[in-house]
Amino acid sequence: MTTYESKTADEVGEYFDDRSWLFGLNGFNLHIGYFDDAHPGTDPKERHTEVMIEAAGLRAGSRLLDVGCGFGRPAIAAAKATGARVVGINVSAEQVRQGRALAAEAGVADLVSFEQADGMALPYPDASFDAVWASEAIMYMSDRPKALREIERVLVPGGRFVLSDYAERTELTPEQRVSLKEGFTVEALPTIEGYRELLTDAGLEIVRFEDATAHLHRSAARIPEVLDEKYAYIAERGGKEFADEFKAMLSKVGMLEGQVLGYVIAVGRKTGELAG
């Protein structure tokens, strides 16, 4: 069986700390878009967050844990839309800092908090949250089964876990694995069906499972436009050599996203009855 190198939580945190200014170019909202033709006027990235809010079943007073929260815009959107109390965790100290600032700016600092924590060792008691979600976060975990067992542990009985993440659809070539590592810090991802197995092995009952690869392809098609739009700023901030290297790397990532990788949205329910 082939094994692949994975970065530690601290190494992933350093990676995102170093590149926070780059991810900020995308409006501090890191995940792919959800292209819903029934909501043509909604930005696809915002629609992605709405889909997760709906899937989590949030309401006023719900307790949500956002694992790998990025800069916190989805967490903030969840609190504003539902009145839920949200804790966002991240291994990047810089993204936690910016998340706190964004929550204060949005006027929801009383509902949303951000903490630096490792998703594979959650610092919360059993049954602490009514819902947990992880958008493009499990992919970075060096021990994904452990991370999902931790998520199941902190959910209340009947609580929901919402997953949206990248997957492998076919065996990658060695060159494609190099591009995957350059773009995402990991050399391998679960398959789409592999995520189903990971969720059930963690003790979660699957209540929704969507192959959302078409949304990934549509997001990937936008990468050249974004690169052209932001190139001058990246060159000014990081230098032309860095900008050219970043453009080449992101072009390879776009090829992976548009032709090779898949995407899954899934909801797992912790067994037992939901309190209240």
Side-chain angles (χ1 to χ4, degrees):
M1 179 179 177
T2 303
T3 58
Y4 297 100
E5 176 186 351
S6 297
K7 289 185 178 293
T8 66
D10 287 342
E11 289 171 333
V12 173
E14 291 172 4
Y15 173 86
F16 281 102
D17 281 343
D18 291 343
R19 291 158 179 80
S20 285
W21 67 274
L22 277 171
F23 297 123
L25 295 174
N26 208 22
F28 298 114
N29 200 343
L30 304 183
H31 56 70
I32 73 162
Y34 192 94
F35 295 80
D36 190 341
D37 293 333
H39 298 80
T42 302
D43 179 271
K45 288 183 178 291
E46 295 178 3
R47 183 60 188 144
H48 188 144
T49 298
E50 291 176 353
V51 167
M52 295 191 71
I53 292 171
E54 293 160 4
L58 300 176
R59 60 183 186 274
S62 293
R63 300 161 297 170
L64 169 68
L65 177 65
D66 182 349
V67 176
C69 60
F71 294 97
R73 287 211 182 276
I76 291 167
K80 292 179 71 173
T82 69
R85 306 190 68 86
V86 187
V87 177
I89 64 167
N90 203 317
V91 290
S92 166
E94 175 59 20
Q95 291 185 10
V96 166
R97 183 191 70 78
Q98 295 205 42
R100 290 170 177 166
L102 288 170
E105 180 183 311
V108 292
D110 59 328
L111 291 176
V112 185
S113 62
F114 295 99
E115 301 173 1
Q116 190 172 8
D118 181 355
M120 294 177 290
L122 296 174
Y124 309 110
D126 296 357
S128 295
F129 297 95
D130 302 298
V132 179
W133 74 33
S135 182
E136 297 165 24
I138 300 301
M139 62 181 288
Y140 293 106
M141 306 291 184
S142 59
D143 191 337
R144 295 167 186 139
K146 183 178 180 181
L148 290 167
R149 290 194 300 270
E150 278 289 272
I151 287 168
E152 191 273 345
R153 178 183 66 79
V154 301
L155 275 171
V156 299
R160 287 189 165 203
F161 170 55
V162 184
L163 167 83
S164 64
D165 222 327
Y166 286 85
E168 290 188 18
R169 290 190 300 123
T170 185
E171 180 62 30
L172 274 63
T173 66
E175 293 77 13
Q176 289 168 341
R177 293 209 180 276
V178 170
S179 297
L180 183 67
K181 187 175 182 180
E182 289 176 350
F184 295 103
T185 80
V186 297
E187 290 182 307
L189 298 167
T191 63
I192 289 176
E193 285 302 313
Y195 277 110
R196 186 191 299 274
E197 183 175 344
L198 284 168
L199 291 172
T200 55
D201 285 351
L204 296 165
E205 174 191 4
I206 304 294
V207 297
R208 173 179 175 178
F209 199 86
E210 176 184 351
D211 182 340
T213 301
H215 299 286
L216 177 62
H217 289 171
R218 291 176 70 172
S219 291
R222 292 186 166 190
I223 288 178
E225 177 184 347
V226 173
L227 277 171
D228 288 342
E229 180 184 343
K230 304 298 185 181
Y231 177 85
Y233 175 79
I234 297 171
E236 179 182 353
R237 178 75 183 264
K240 186 177 185 305
E241 181 178 356
F242 173 83
D244 288 341
E245 291 175 353
F246 179 74
K247 184 175 182 179
M249 181 274 290
L250 207 57
S251 294
K252 293 178 183 177
V253 168
M255 183 278 296
L256 290 177
E257 293 182 348
Q259 301 177 26
V260 178
L261 298 180
Y263 202 88
V264 62
I265 297 175
V267 181
R269 178 183 176 275
K270 183 169 181 174
T271 57
E273 293 301 319
L274 183 62

